[in-house]
Amino acid sequence: MGRYDKYTGQETEVKIPLHMEGKPLAVIGCKAFLSCKTVERLVLPATVEMVEDWAFAHMKNLTEIVMPAREIRFGKQVFLGCDSLKRVILYSVKNVGENDEIQMSEDLPGLDRLWASMFRFFPQESLHKPEEMVERQGQRSWLNRYDEALASYLRKPDDTGFVPAFIGWFDVEDVDDQRQGYILNCQRDKVKLVFQRLTCGKMPERSLEEYFYSIISKYSAHVEELFLQNPEYGREICYYKIWQQACNPDRSKIEEFLAKLPWEEPEIRVYLMELLQDDEGDYFSQLEL
């Protein structure tokens, strides 16, 4: 079987070949892309069966990975430190030849973001099953397990997993500062994960949906920075709808958002203005989001 052991190029997009030395590529070796800083998009071949330990660890600029929807064995901490990873796209391996185009499809919108978050936040869960995503029933079964993993993660204390970085000599205050920074990042991540889940194509069970809304309310201080500093969230009116439903903000808070909202977002601006005019009115209630 063929192996891909080390990437040495400088491209921003890499498509790993189907064959290595005349053999179907089945294994991506240990640390094959370790600490690669240039690759932003990575495409795995339809023949891959095993991704070994730390294969993509610390690829700081990796934002998207494309992989086949087949059984793949993943080693330890394959995506460790891939903090920019936002999308994992799956494709069917049926009739994929050496020169065939990859045909991507997705039954439930938003699964690409949930897959990315799974690799980053739930690496120990039994969710690494891309072969389930080929059929609708498999996608929904996977999504139910994802909801369980997400709920478990949200219930953990915000400093779970904190390990201070000892660089040189420092005192207790330095450790406390590190801990506080870790906690703030964890809270931001929890808000992002909940927003991503609530904008996916299938809503969770009612009790779990209410719990997700409570998380947004609990960490509402981080919502504003998400909307106003992160373009991914600032462009989507559905995020604002979830925020309004979860936090039930007072009039002054809505006015504050309006004052800081970029003028390039007229749809969101009109939505917030409608909320100000009529607390029960929803200008976009009939729209498909």
Side-chain angles (χ1 to χ4, degrees):
M1 61 181 178
R3 291 179 57 91
Y4 190 98
D5 282 315
K6 186 65 177 176
Y7 175 72
T8 58
Q10 296 293 321
E11 295 88 351
T12 58
E13 180 173 347
V14 174
K15 185 176 181 180
I16 298 177
L18 277 168
H19 297 85
M20 292 290 291
E21 298 180 352
K23 300 177 182 178
L25 193 145
V27 179
I28 298 176
C30 176
K31 304 179 182 179
F33 287 82
L34 178 66
S35 298
C36 176
K37 300 298 191 295
T38 59
V39 178
E40 300 173 5
R41 186 174 190 265
L42 183 63
V43 182
L44 307 190
T47 53
V48 68
E49 298 175 0
M50 174 70 185
V51 180
E52 294 183 345
D53 301 349
W54 304 291
F56 311 126
H58 300 295
M59 295 180 70
K60 296 297 184 182
N61 293 309
L62 181 67
T63 58
E64 179 177 295
I65 186 166
V66 182
M67 64 174 61
R70 61 171 298 170
E71 183 176 356
I72 301 174
R73 299 190 306 277
F74 291 92
K76 295 183 295 185
Q77 299 183 316
V78 170
F79 289 91
L80 176 68
C82 294
D83 296 337
S84 298
L85 184 62
K86 294 181 179 179
R87 302 184 67 199
V88 175
I89 300 175
L90 301 171
Y91 64 90
S92 174
V93 299
K94 295 179 180 178
N95 302 319
V96 174
E98 187 170 1
N99 298 315
D100 289 345
E101 292 292 328
I102 292 174
Q103 299 296 323
M104 302 179 193
S105 62
E106 188 177 17
D107 179 56
L108 293 173
L111 277 184
D112 54 351
R113 296 189 298 274
L114 300 191
W115 260 85
S117 66
M118 178 272 293
F119 279 114
R120 285 190 57 197
F121 295 99
F122 320 124
Q124 306 305 321
E125 302 292 339
S126 59
L127 294 168
H128 298 68
K129 297 182 181 297
E131 67 275 14
E132 290 186 351
M133 297 304 186
V134 179
E135 304 295 338
R136 175 180 298 185
Q137 191 60 38
Q139 292 179 355
R140 296 184 182 278
S141 174
W142 184 90
L143 191 58
N144 289 335
R145 296 203 308 279
Y146 178 90
D147 285 345
E148 294 176 1
L150 175 57
S152 176
Y153 173 77
L154 295 174
R155 292 188 178 102
K156 293 179 181 179
D158 295 335
D159 63 349
T160 299
F162 169 72
V163 178
F166 289 96
I167 303 175
W169 178 264
F170 56 89
D171 54 26
V172 175
E173 285 75 13
D174 294 320
V175 175
D176 291 341
D177 289 343
Q178 288 188 42
R179 183 185 300 276
Q180 186 60 32
Y182 182 92
I183 289 173
L184 289 175
N185 286 332
C186 182
Q187 292 172 350
R188 294 186 186 106
D189 287 336
K190 287 182 177 181
V191 171
K192 292 178 183 178
L193 288 170
V194 170
F195 270 120
Q196 288 177 357
R197 178 59 188 93
L198 290 174
T199 54
C200 190
K202 178 179 180 292
M203 287 294 100
E205 295 181 0
R206 184 60 185 171
S207 59
L208 199 55
E209 183 180 3
E210 292 174 351
Y211 177 64
F212 290 164
Y213 275 98
S214 72
I215 293 297
I216 294 177
S217 180
K218 178 180 179 181
Y219 299 123
S220 59
H222 299 306
V223 174
E224 180 175 343
E225 61 182 289
L226 278 180
F227 287 163
L228 300 179
Q229 297 178 15
N230 190 322
E232 176 186 352
Y233 295 87
R235 287 193 300 266
E236 299 289 344
I237 193 172
C238 48
Y239 292 123
Y240 281 84
K241 292 173 74 72
I242 292 171
W243 161 74
Q244 188 269 334
Q245 294 165 7
C247 297
N248 191 24
D250 57 29
R251 184 183 183 90
S252 63
K253 192 64 176 176
I254 297 176
E255 291 175 342
E256 184 179 348
F257 270 95
L258 269 172
K260 296 181 179 180
L261 189 67
W263 282 99
E264 295 80 24
E265 310 298 342
E267 188 180 27
I268 300 171
R269 184 174 295 279
V270 171
Y271 172 70
L272 293 177
M273 290 175 67
E274 288 291 326
L275 289 178
L276 284 175
Q277 294 172 9
D278 181 0
D279 291 338
E280 297 182 358
D282 186 347
Y283 184 77
F284 291 93
S285 61
Q286 303 304 317
L287 291 185
E288 285 289 335
L289 296 177

